Amino acid sequence: MARRDKAADGRGRKPKQNPFKRDGIEVVDYKDTALLRKFISDRGKIRSRRVTGLTVQQQKQIARAIKNAREMALLPYSSTPR
């Protein structure tokens, strides 16, 4: 029986692709709401690194940009009314 290729973590999953490298994004801007919405859940929460596949530095940049955009009323604090 042939062995399947395993990811670096030793499990059968392939590692997540970095969306910034894939799309050629170098700078995160709080005014780019289309990009920032990709990293926000339907409930309005910032998605984790584990889900997005970003590096630590990129995740911090995204979080800061989302918070700035929310403060400037470009993004909502929550998407669903309670």
Side-chain angles (χ1 to χ4, degrees), residues 41-74:
S41 71
D42 58 344
R43 300 292 300 245
K45 294 183 177 183
I46 300 172
R47 295 189 191 271
S48 67
R49 279 187 58 226
R50 182 174 56 88
V51 174
T52 60
L54 296 174
T55 64
V56 175
Q57 293 84 3
Q58 291 169 338
Q59 182 70 19
K60 287 180 182 179
Q61 289 175 352
I62 284 289
R64 177 57 41 210
I66 290 172
K67 290 173 185 177
N68 285 342
R70 285 175 173 166
E71 187 72 23
M72 296 293 198
L74 298 174

Side-chain angles (χ1 to χ4, degrees), residues 3 5-6 11-12 14 20 23-25 40 44 46 49 52 54 56 61-62 71 73 75-76 81:
R3 289 177 61 179
D5 292 334
K6 291 188 177 184
R11 299 185 186 175
K14 71 176 189 178
F20 280 12
D23 298 337
I25 300 168
I40 299 176
I46 300 172
R49 279 187 58 226
T52 60
L54 296 174
V56 175
Q61 289 175 352
I62 284 289
E71 187 72 23
L75 289 175

Side-chain angles (χ1 to χ4, degrees), residues 14-34:
K14 71 176 189 178
K16 287 224 177 264
Q17 250 192 341
N18 188 328
F20 280 12
K21 283 186 179 179
R22 183 184 62 219
D23 298 337
I25 300 168
E26 295 189 14
V27 178
V28 179
D29 189 14
Y30 74 92
K31 293 173 276 190
D32 188 1
T33 57

